[in-house]
Amino acid sequence: MSSLFDYDSPFMRGLEWLVDVIWVNILLIVTSLPVVTIGAALTASYDSLRRIREGEGHVTRAYFRAFAANFGKATALWAVYGIIGAGLAYTWIVLRIDGLLIPKIAFSVLWVIGFEWVWYLQSRFENTVGVTLRNSLLFGISYAMATIALAAIDAIAIYVLYASFMYFIQGLFLLVVLGPGFVLSIHVPILERVMKPQIQAGKQARTQADAEEPTQADESGA
C-alpha cells in the first residue's frame, strides 16, 4: 500500500501542483507591478499553468521564456484592453449619463468577453495582434457557456478577495494563495477542453507541412 507521502501519491502530486500554482501567482503579481507589463504577465501565466498541467519543464524558466517571447504582442493587446477598460470604468464611475447606459453595457460585455480569452489565445497560438483581438471576441461569443463560466469564476474570486479584505486580515494571504494565478489555473482546463479541436487541427496542419517539405525540396533539386 502506497504511503500518503510517497512522491507519486495523489496527495503529493496535488501538493506539488499547488506549490507551482502559488509560485506562478507570485511571479504574475511581481511582473505586473509596472502595470504596462500586465498583458505579458497574464500571457506567461497561461503558458506556464498549461505546462504545469501537462507536466512540462521548469516553472520559472517557462514563465520568463513565455514572458519575453510574448512581450511585444501581449503589451500591444494590453494597451488596447487597458485603455478601453479605463475608459469604460470612467464612464461607469464618473460619466453617469442615462442615455449612455445601453452602449456602456454593450461595450462592457464585449470587453469582458474578449478579456476572458485574449491572453490564453496569445499564449497558445501564433497570430498577429489584430487576429488575436478578433479571435478573442469570436471564440468568446461562439463558446458562450465557457465564457460565462470563466467570468463567473472571476466574479467569485473577486468577491472572496473583497470580503476577505473587508472582514479578515488574512485577505492578504489569500491574494498570494488564491490570487489571479490560482484563478487562471482553473481557466486553463476549461479553455483547453473547448479549444481542443483547434489545437489538434493546428498540430495536424504543422505535421502535414513538415512532411511535405522534404518532397518539395527533392522535386526542386531534381
Side-chain angles (χ1 to χ4, degrees), residues 150-168 170-171 174-175 178-180 183:
L150 297 173
I153 291 167
D154 291 349
I156 292 170
I158 291 170
Y159 175 77
V160 169
L161 286 174
Y162 170 77
S164 298
F165 283 127
M166 290 296 294
Y167 303 109
F168 302 103
Q170 291 87 348
L174 283 175
L175 180 62
L178 301 177
V183 174

Side-chain angles (χ1 to χ4, degrees), residues 50-155:
R50 177 180 63 81
R51 294 180 186 281
I52 290 171
R53 183 170 179 265
E54 296 175 356
E56 296 181 8
H58 186 272
V59 176
T60 305
R61 189 182 303 115
Y63 184 93
F64 284 107
R65 185 188 300 119
F67 186 93
N70 292 282
F71 184 82
K73 291 180 180 179
T75 302
L77 292 168
W78 171 241
V80 174
Y81 275 94
I83 291 172
I84 294 176
L88 287 170
Y90 176 82
T91 63
W92 281 107
I93 298 170
V94 180
L95 202 62
R96 299 186 177 183
I97 301 174
D98 292 340
L100 292 178
L101 182 59
I102 294 177
K104 283 196 297 185
I105 293 174
F107 279 107
S108 297
V109 169
L110 288 174
W111 187 91
V112 171
I113 290 172
F115 196 87
E116 294 291 354
W117 283 81
V118 68
W119 315 113
Y120 168 79
L121 293 177
Q122 176 57 39
S123 73
R124 202 68 168 93
F125 302 98
E126 182 62 36
N127 282 311
T128 64
V129 171
V131 170
T132 302
L133 285 171
R134 182 197 66 190
N135 287 346
S136 66
L137 291 174
L138 288 177
F139 287 126
I141 294 171
S142 299
Y143 300 105
M145 294 307 297
T147 304
I148 292 171
L150 297 173
I153 291 167
D154 291 349

